Amino acid sequence: MGKVDPETGNIIPKENRTPPKEEYVKDYGSIAVLDKVQDDLGLFEDLKACFPDIAEKIMAAAISQCLEATPFSDIEYIIDGSTIAELYKLRGNLSSAAMSELSKELGQRLSSMDHFFTQRVKRSVDGKLILDLTSVSSYSDMKGYSEWGHNRDGEDLRQTGIALVTDGRGIPMVFSMLPGSIADSTVLESTVEYLEDLGCSGRFVMDRGFENAHNVNSLLQRNVLFTMPSNIREEPIKKLLTRAASDMKSSEAFRFHEGNTYKVAEYEVGVVSVDGKDEYIVEVPRNHKDSAAIDSRFATSRKFRAFVVFDPKKASNDLDAVMEMVSDIELKYENTKPRDPAKVYSKLPAFVRRYVDYSVDEEGFMHIERKQNSFTFADNRAGYFVMFASEGTTWEQMMSSYDVRDWVEKAFDVYKTDLDGSRSRTGNPDSARGRLFIKFIAMIMRIEVQNILRDHDKETLRTKNRKDSVNGKTVDELFRTLSTVSAIGFKGNWRLSHISKGAREAFRLFGLDEPKSGRISLS
């Protein structure tokens, strides 16, 4: 107990010579918000149902990747600097070796993944399915999954295809890893079958890589609702553009969507089989020499809607792009005297050569000449695009469903590569699939945060409420604000740091009680 003071007779306690416990500072704010986001989405609940023995590790790794898309070997450092381990009662650490083992094990559990995808599909309620095909570059062939071919990122690397399906708010529901050389047009049928097996039903929204008559006919045969842009390569679709120029003169052609004005002409298009090949068909004027035969075939064809759209802002941007490119070439090469003008011209991009030619005068000076027909075509086509959709689709349904694709592509770009710019080096397809699954979970949370921020900005503009400190923030800016809320302490003895106004407002936005400085439980 101590010793007796000879003067007072009181007991003097023994001095405590044990040094004070080491205190740590950990990110609390970002983790609390992401935990609320995943809880609202039912993510951890679904992970526990499908991966009961490793759900905590998956969730911890995914939150780490959502905060910062580091190489997987650095995930342990993000977790060590945050309250992730305490929140999810993580046993052990997620070192580089542990992450390699987790990724491989996770990638081998295909049935559990399908079960998880089915759970996510059941939680979707808006009836929209946005199908996107992207790719990730790799240094390895991954036993055939990573192949040479057209690299979407313009890199001299093999690539692996990723089919990604989201709901109407851009929240990912399903992904599938595909050999990198598979073209978009050959993926659609097998992907639709796979999604139907998982219980997916609704409107498929795709990019123009999926558009061809065979794919459209396949969707019509299956009675699948769809929206996709046209490549405008087939002659019947080009004819619709010519017709639209006249039909858009009506005042009924004007439409308004998301603050922008468009002119629209709607048509019915058919798909017929000619010598075993699917082709588009449209009605033709009666004075056309084969009108009777063509219209008869059209009457018996499977039908869908084509929206020919003119966007005045896009028209200006399209022509600006052409003129900027041509002007640069004129400034660089006009009245110059290169040693080999033909070689200089041949090295210009094909898109540039479409609009300019060249000549050489008697003194050997090179002159850039604009191609009249190409400029006329660009002027006539500027601002136009064509959208395909299943029968019964309205203008608003078509436009609103396609808007979501931009959100998905921007969010997915974050996870196609690590922040240090490296590409996948794993040679094991199971490990690659497991890593993609963890990034897939991270992307679900990140897009939901992005949606909440976007909705908050829209609501502020609509109601003209006073802006708060969260308005206008990106996802990363929000995380930086939240990271100022730290948990300080050790083991079960934690307290919160000072809470800024911005952090308090962010907590409120995500439906959390405002945090208060002082003692807190992390369990």
Side-chain angles (χ1 to χ4, degrees):
M1 291 180 64
K3 60 182 180 179
V4 177
D5 188 320
E7 295 183 3
T8 64
N10 294 330
I11 296 176
I12 302 174
K14 288 183 179 179
E15 292 183 10
N16 185 1
R17 303 192 180 189
T18 305
K21 295 283 187 180
E22 189 72 36
E23 289 194 322
Y24 300 93
V25 179
K26 297 193 173 192
D27 179 6
Y28 172 83
S30 305
I31 310 306
V33 165
L34 284 177
D35 182 58
K36 179 65 164 60
V37 168
Q38 73 78 15
D39 188 58
D40 290 344
L41 293 169
L43 268 179
F44 191 41
E45 181 181 341
D46 289 346
L47 285 174
K48 286 191 291 185
C50 304
F51 304 93
D53 56 327
I54 55 174
E56 291 81 3
K57 293 180 180 180
I58 298 171
M59 196 74 247
I63 286 182
S64 169
Q65 283 286 286
C66 188
L67 286 175
E68 196 172 340
T70 62
F72 272 38
S73 57
D74 291 343
I75 282 179
E76 64 174 315
Y77 304 119
I78 303 297
I79 292 176
D80 286 346
S82 72
T83 56
I84 294 175
E86 287 79 9
L87 182 63
Y88 292 100
K89 298 180 175 61
L90 203 60
R91 295 181 179 179
N93 60 30
L94 290 182
S95 63
S96 179
M99 282 307 305
S100 294
E101 184 179 338
L102 175 64
S103 298
K104 185 175 180 180
E105 181 180 0
L106 182 55
Q108 291 172 339
R109 299 191 184 187
L110 299 181
S111 295
S112 296
M113 279 193 186
D114 284 350
H115 184 200
F116 180 81
F117 295 150
T118 301
Q119 295 298 104
R120 302 313 301 170
V121 169
K122 288 178 180 178
R123 291 184 185 273
S124 176
V125 294
D126 65 5
K128 293 176 185 173
L129 302 170
I130 290 79
L131 173 60
D132 189 21
L133 190 69
T134 187
S135 59
V136 289
S137 297
S138 173
Y139 291 98
S140 169
D141 68 359
M142 284 200 296
K143 298 180 180 179
Y145 267 91
S146 194
E147 300 179 353
W148 296 106
H150 170 66
N151 190 297
R152 297 160 188 266
D153 300 311
E155 299 172 319
D156 188 23
L157 293 171
R158 296 179 178 90
Q159 61 179 358
T160 301
I162 308 294
L164 179 71
V165 180
T166 76
D167 65 14
R169 280 179 57 80
I171 303 297
M173 298 189 296
V174 180
F175 84 89
S176 181
M177 198 168 79
L178 311 163
S181 62
I182 291 182
D184 290 18
S185 58
T186 62
V187 171
L188 183 60
E189 197 162 329
S190 60
T191 302
V192 170
E193 288 180 1
Y194 174 56
L195 293 173
E196 287 178 343
D197 289 342
L198 293 176
C200 284
S201 61
R203 176 175 298 274
F204 281 81
V205 184
M206 295 154 278
D207 66 19
R208 59 174 44 84
F210 291 101
E211 188 267 297
N212 61 48
H214 174 75
N215 278 346
V216 171
N217 195 32
S218 176
L219 292 169
L220 295 174
Q221 286 178 315
R222 290 175 172 273
N223 294 315
V224 173
L225 301 175
F226 66 89
T227 301
M228 70 172 77
S230 170
N231 294 305
I232 319 180
R233 292 174 182 166
E234 306 300 325
E235 194 60 34
I237 309 306
K238 292 179 180 178
K239 288 180 180 178
L240 293 183
L241 281 174
T242 304
R243 287 173 57 182
S246 174
D247 294 341
M248 285 180 181
K249 293 178 181 179
S250 167
S251 61
E252 297 299 317
F254 287 88
R255 308 284 173 86
F256 197 65
H257 176 74
E258 293 290 329
N260 295 306
T261 301
Y262 303 87
K263 289 198 292 185
V264 184
E266 298 183 29
Y267 302 99
E268 199 171 41
V269 181
V271 182
V272 294
S273 182
V274 179
D275 298 328
K277 181 182 178 182
D278 291 328
E279 294 181 357
Y280 297 128
I281 186 171
V282 296
E283 289 183 300
V284 296
R286 291 185 178 180
N287 58 3
H288 191 286
K289 68 174 183 177
D290 296 322
S291 62
I294 292 174
D295 289 348
S296 175
R297 291 169 59 209
F298 176 80
T300 59
S301 66
R302 293 189 178 89
K303 310 290 197 309
F304 64 94
R305 302 294 293 172
F307 297 82
V308 180
V309 186
F310 176 74
D311 179 353
K313 293 180 181 178
K314 183 177 183 297
S316 177
N317 292 338
D318 288 348
L319 293 176
D320 285 347
V322 171
M323 283 307 302
E324 181 179 10
M325 170 198 64
V326 171
S327 296
D328 286 346
I329 296 302
E330 290 174 339
L331 286 171
K332 188 173 183 178
Y333 295 111
E334 175 61 28
N335 224 23
T336 61
K337 202 171 184 178
R339 180 176 300 176
D340 189 346
K343 186 176 181 180
V344 168
Y345 179 77
S346 68
K347 287 189 174 182
L348 295 176
F351 181 71
V352 176
R353 297 198 303 272
R354 185 188 307 170
Y355 293 97
V356 299
D357 206 339
Y358 79 100
S359 64
V360 181
D361 63 22
E362 294 178 352
E363 298 180 8
F365 286 97
M366 184 177 186
H367 300 286
I368 302 299
E369 301 171 352
R370 299 178 182 180
K371 295 181 179 180
Q372 183 60 50
N373 289 343
S374 295
F375 269 82
T376 300
F377 180 83
D379 188 31
N380 292 336
R381 184 66 65 85
Y384 282 94
F385 61 94
V386 179
M387 297 293 296
F388 290 169
S390 47
E391 281 280 57
T393 302
T394 66
W395 154 259
E396 279 296 332
Q397 284 176 322
M398 181 274 292
M399 289 294 285
S400 61
S401 61
Y402 201 69
D403 285 344
V404 182
R405 290 201 69 261
D406 290 336
W407 311 346
V408 178
E409 288 182 351
K410 290 174 183 175
F412 197 57
D413 282 345
V414 176
Y415 297 97
K416 288 176 68 173
T417 181
D418 293 329
L419 288 186
D420 64 353
S422 65
R423 296 298 187 178
S424 174
R425 295 180 183 272
T426 180
N428 188 302
D430 293 332
S431 296
R433 188 181 297 107
R435 290 164 64 92
L436 285 169
F437 185 82
I438 290 170
K439 292 189 175 189
F440 172 80
I441 303 300
M443 184 164 56
I444 293 174
M445 291 183 285
R446 191 176 184 92
I447 293 180
E448 179 63 6
V449 172
Q450 178 180 281
N451 288 343
I452 291 171
L453 292 175
R454 183 186 295 110
D455 291 346
H456 180 55
D457 287 343
K458 286 183 177 180
E459 182 66 13
T460 301
L461 290 173
R462 185 184 67 82
T463 60
K464 297 183 179 180
N465 288 337
R466 185 176 179 179
K467 289 186 177 181
D468 60 27
S469 59
V470 182
N471 281 122
K473 284 190 183 298
T474 64
V475 175
D476 288 329
E477 288 170 343
L478 174 77
F479 288 158
R480 282 195 289 273
T481 296
L482 289 167
S483 67
T484 63
V485 182
S486 301
I488 305 168
F490 58 92
K491 291 188 178 179
N493 185 18
W494 297 95
R495 67 184 186 277
L496 288 187
S497 63
H498 171 73
I499 316 297
S500 68
K501 177 183 176 183
R504 291 197 303 272
E505 290 177 338
F507 267 67
R508 283 202 303 269
L509 175 61
F510 285 85
L512 289 166
D513 293 333
E514 290 187 21
K516 296 179 180 179
S517 301
R519 187 73 179 268
I520 188 172
S521 173
L522 298 182
S523 59

